[in-house]
Amino acid sequence: MNTMIRPAVSLFVLLTVVTGVVYPLAVTGVAKAAFPHQAEGSLIVKQGKVIGSSLIGQNFIEPKYFWGRPSATGPMPYNASGSGGSNQGPLNPALVEAVKGRIDALKAADPGNALPVPIDLVSTSASGLDPHISIAAAQYQAARVARVRGLSNEAVHAAITRHSEGRLFGLLGEARVNVLELNLELDQTLAH
């Protein structure tokens, strides 16, 4: 029996050290050397202060900002430690009411907007942390943001274009806009 236990325990300890210590350290070291910004969380730092990550959405609710995709995380929106969707199906009355409430909030912030409301402005994602919205969602909000900030529609649409990202490898996903980066530009370079 000892002849079987000793090699099993030795192999277990060796594999634990290799897969639990050596491999993670090696991958982290390579990531930090090859992609230092991404390995540190893609943090956005302004004036020496971390204000967010380009990978995690933030809760913008003022009309002068572009609003991101709603978050279903608790106890607060965009809570990375509570990542997850609402798990509500399309026939769930709570989901129907939540979507109606989000549509009402969008209409109240911009009553003259007759465009159809893009789905990503009223529905949460599986993670609840999306930092992006669709191009259509950004364009839907552009007139409101321009009006509230006293900017031309052209200036706001140009900012949307600067922060638009295409499909990954030209194939995967949809074109999108990073909400935090777009709002930061509006605050810093287009503010009046």
Side-chain angles (χ1 to χ4, degrees), residues 133-158:
I133 56 175
S134 65
I135 303 292
Q139 291 172 343
Y140 177 85
Q141 300 178 77
R144 179 197 77 224
V145 171
R147 184 182 69 253
V148 172
R149 287 180 178 265
L151 299 170
S152 70
N153 284 335
E154 293 77 21
V156 173
H157 281 283

Side-chain angles (χ1 to χ4, degrees), residues 34-115:
F35 308 104
H37 178 70
Q38 292 88 339
E40 295 296 326
S42 298
L43 300 177
I44 298 174
V45 180
K46 297 292 178 196
Q47 299 173 348
K49 182 180 174 189
V50 175
I51 56 170
S53 168
S54 62
L55 301 175
I56 297 177
Q58 291 192 10
N59 193 28
F60 292 100
I61 55 173
E62 294 178 56
K64 71 177 185 174
Y65 291 112
F66 283 89
W67 298 350
R69 189 165 187 179
S71 175
T73 64
M76 62 194 167
Y78 306 101
N79 177 9
S81 65
S83 176
S86 68
N87 292 331
Q88 296 171 334
L91 300 179
N92 186 314
L95 177 63
V96 172
E97 286 304 310
V99 169
K100 283 181 185 175
R102 293 172 188 140
I103 291 171
D104 291 345
L106 287 165
K107 296 290 185 186
D110 193 7
N113 192 339
L115 295 171

